[in-house]
Amino acid sequence: MHKRQNLLAFGLLFPSILVLGTFVFYPMIKTFWLSTQTTDLMGNPIKSVGFKNFTNLFNSEIFRTSITVTLIFVLVTTVVTVVLAYWLAILASSKLKGIGFFRTIFSATMGISVTVASILWLFMFNPQIGMFSRILAFLHLPDINWLSDPVWALVAIIGTTVWMNLGFSFLILLGAVQAIPEDLYQVADLNGASKWLRLTKITLPATEPTVFFVTVVTLINAFQTFGQVDILTAGGPDYHTNLLVYSIYQDAFVNHAVGRASAESVVLTVIIMVVTFIQFYLNKRKAARYAD
């Protein structure tokens, strides 16, 4: 009986195991193996070099710049996206006339592809005809080279990414805010609670698991940012928007250094795993503290 149940369980799990093995585990193992090889222009391994690719990476100023820029980009993008989406979710949960229209507007970015959104922002950042340059000129402020200045180029990429990720985060958080029982707010009103007290004692604790989920998803999406970098800045100027994913693409498909690109992929995977583990660990500790 147990043998038949085990066979049935294996049969049900086999399609998932096959898909994961083919598209997740095998590519991960192959990438780690290639990271220890030198390759020809076609990406075929020539000889094993151990961890030399990793040593060369961390001795490269360009790679160190990419890591620094990526961490800054991910941190700022995640914080701004989650905070802004949470604020919009609270506003959109208000019972005001016509609020449904604003809910649609706030979530509309979900229906726009990365390419279309990036081209749209490319026009807005244009120094001659762009909307931002026109606004600065109208206010008699100095013009800004949005995509050619190292600092402002990173700000432009962050702003574009926040706008693109905002719709998904907003919808998830809006659902969490609207799921809070109205009775809790009515009791708070009867006791004369201020809006700040309602937010910190009711809304935030009730939506904390959803905020954690949105934060993790936004963080991982930020690490995987590629399209807007490719279209807006191509990693420039002077590698100040050369995020790790774009650096991997450049080394693998432009410079044909597959071994180096594989090593960068391993480093990026480890960084994402460590950051995600820290988030889950801190969330688990916080949950245990509340349980006590």
Side-chain angles (χ1 to χ4, degrees):
M1 185 65 180
H2 290 294
K3 187 175 181 180
R4 290 183 60 185
Q5 289 179 340
N6 291 337
L7 287 174
L8 177 61
F10 178 77
L12 294 173
L13 290 173
F14 180 74
S16 298
I17 295 173
L18 182 63
V19 171
L20 287 173
T22 304
F23 297 104
V24 178
F25 298 122
Y26 173 73
M28 287 177 63
I29 296 171
K30 184 70 176 289
T31 299
F32 181 78
W33 178 67
L34 285 174
S35 70
T36 64
Q37 309 288 315
T38 56
T39 59
D40 59 20
L41 294 179
M42 299 300 294
N44 300 312
I46 300 174
K47 67 175 182 178
S48 176
V49 293
F51 292 98
K52 186 177 180 181
N53 285 327
F54 292 95
T55 303
N56 292 338
L57 276 182
F58 287 100
N59 287 332
S60 169
E61 184 178 350
I62 294 175
F63 180 72
R64 293 198 299 269
T65 300
S66 292
I67 287 185
T68 303
V69 168
T70 301
L71 293 177
I72 294 172
F73 169 82
V74 169
L75 177 63
V76 176
T77 299
T78 302
V79 171
V80 173
T81 301
V82 174
V83 172
L84 184 57
Y86 197 87
W87 178 63
L88 291 177
I90 293 175
L91 289 179
S93 62
S94 305
K95 295 180 179 179
L96 300 176
K97 187 176 181 180
I99 197 65
F101 170 77
F102 291 98
R103 291 172 185 167
T104 303
I105 295 298
F106 294 156
S107 59
T109 57
M110 290 183 61
I112 303 176
S113 70
V114 173
T115 302
V116 172
S118 300
I119 294 174
L120 174 66
W121 282 86
L122 182 63
F123 277 106
M124 289 196 290
F125 287 127
N126 187 283
Q128 279 78 40
I129 62 173
M131 180 183 73
F132 297 117
S133 294
R134 295 290 183 90
I135 292 174
L136 291 175
F138 177 78
L139 297 174
H140 303 288
L141 295 174
D143 197 10
I144 295 175
N145 297 318
W146 295 101
L147 301 179
S148 58
D149 181 270
V151 175
W152 286 109
L154 183 58
V155 171
I157 295 295
I158 290 172
T160 303
T161 306
V162 168
W163 183 82
M164 291 167 59
N165 293 340
L166 195 60
F168 171 80
S169 301
F170 163 75
L171 276 182
I172 300 297
L173 291 170
L174 177 63
V177 172
Q178 290 184 329
I180 301 174
E182 190 66 28
D183 295 346
L184 297 177
Y185 293 112
Q186 292 175 357
V187 172
D189 290 337
L190 290 174
N191 287 276
S194 63
K195 290 184 178 180
W196 175 253
L197 200 60
R198 285 159 48 105
L199 174 65
T200 56
K201 297 301 182 180
I202 298 176
T203 309
L204 283 174
T207 57
E208 186 172 346
T210 306
V211 172
F212 173 72
F213 167 76
V214 170
T215 302
V216 172
V217 172
T218 304
L219 186 90
I220 294 175
N221 286 340
F223 270 114
Q224 297 173 341
T225 298
F226 172 80
Q228 50 269 50
V229 176
D230 187 39
I231 293 175
L232 292 178
T233 63
D238 197 23
Y239 300 101
H240 279 80
T241 60
N242 191 41
L243 304 184
L244 272 178
V245 170
Y246 192 76
S247 179
I248 293 169
Y249 161 77
Q250 286 284 324
D251 283 330
F253 301 105
V254 178
N255 302 328
H256 303 289
V258 177
R260 178 185 172 92
S262 298
E264 290 175 307
S265 298
V266 172
V267 172
L268 178 59
T269 302
V270 171
I271 292 174
I272 294 175
M273 289 175 62
V274 170
V275 173
T276 305
F277 172 79
I278 291 173
Q279 283 188 301
F280 275 94
Y281 175 75
L282 294 176
N283 186 68
K284 186 176 180 181
R285 286 194 61 183
K286 186 181 292 185
R289 190 164 61 248
Y290 284 147
D292 295 337

